[in-house]
Amino acid sequence: QVQLVESGGGLVQPGGSLRLSCAVSGSIVSMYIMGWYRQAPGKRRELVATITSGGITNYGDSMRGRFTISRDNAENTVYLQIYSLKPDDTAIYYCNAYLQNPILGRHDYWGQGTQVTVSS
């Protein structure tokens, strides 16, 4: 059973920074495209960033610049560094592991989410 556990969320003042972590168990993180998504109250879930096993990154619209995704395959962990936080960044941030392989099939796993609240 693959499990993703996010941590690092919390209450932060505007302009502050956070580093979110996603620990993966039950599989090898290097097999997956790992991603971070977020969902604000009353809004659809949106892409923040993804990173391939080879380290190629992709960022959602308006996410480039203040968000940095990285992965540590040895630690089976993915990170999201967020700088210059704004109140609009308030959301639940979800970790995702995605694999599509002709032999292994398609696999799509989500964590339970971690709340980020940006407020003074």
Side-chain angles (χ1 to χ4, degrees):
Q1 180 74 20
V2 178
Q3 289 189 319
L4 284 67
V5 179
E6 301 97 333
S7 61
L11 174 64
V12 64
Q13 292 188 343
S17 300
L18 277 178
R19 189 175 81 156
L20 307 182
S21 300
C22 173
V24 181
S25 62
S27 189
I28 302 172
V29 72
S30 61
M31 296 172 56
Y32 297 86
I33 297 173
M34 300 299 300
W36 286 96
Y37 294 75
R38 70 182 187 183
Q39 188 166 18
K43 296 187 177 181
R44 297 174 60 182
R45 190 173 296 190
E46 62 178 344
L47 169 69
V48 177
T50 60
I51 184 168
T52 68
S53 59
I56 298 173
T57 58
N58 178 56
Y59 291 88
D61 294 343
S62 78
M63 305 297 178
R64 192 175 296 276
R66 295 191 300 115
F67 297 83
T68 301
I69 189 171
S70 61
R71 63 193 296 161
D72 185 335
N73 290 335
E75 295 294 326
N76 246 26
T77 302
V78 181
Y79 303 99
L80 182 69
Q81 180 73 49
I82 315 174
Y83 302 96
S84 302
L85 278 153
K86 305 174 182 179
D88 284 349
D89 295 321
T90 296
I92 299 175
Y93 285 72
Y94 296 92
C95 181
N96 173 259
Y98 179 80
L99 170 68
Q100 186 158 5
N101 181 280
I103 298 174
L104 299 176
R106 181 181 180 275
H107 301 274
D108 195 9
Y109 301 103
W110 292 90
Q112 82 290 348
T114 185
Q115 176 71 49
V116 173
T117 302
V118 184
S119 175
S120 55

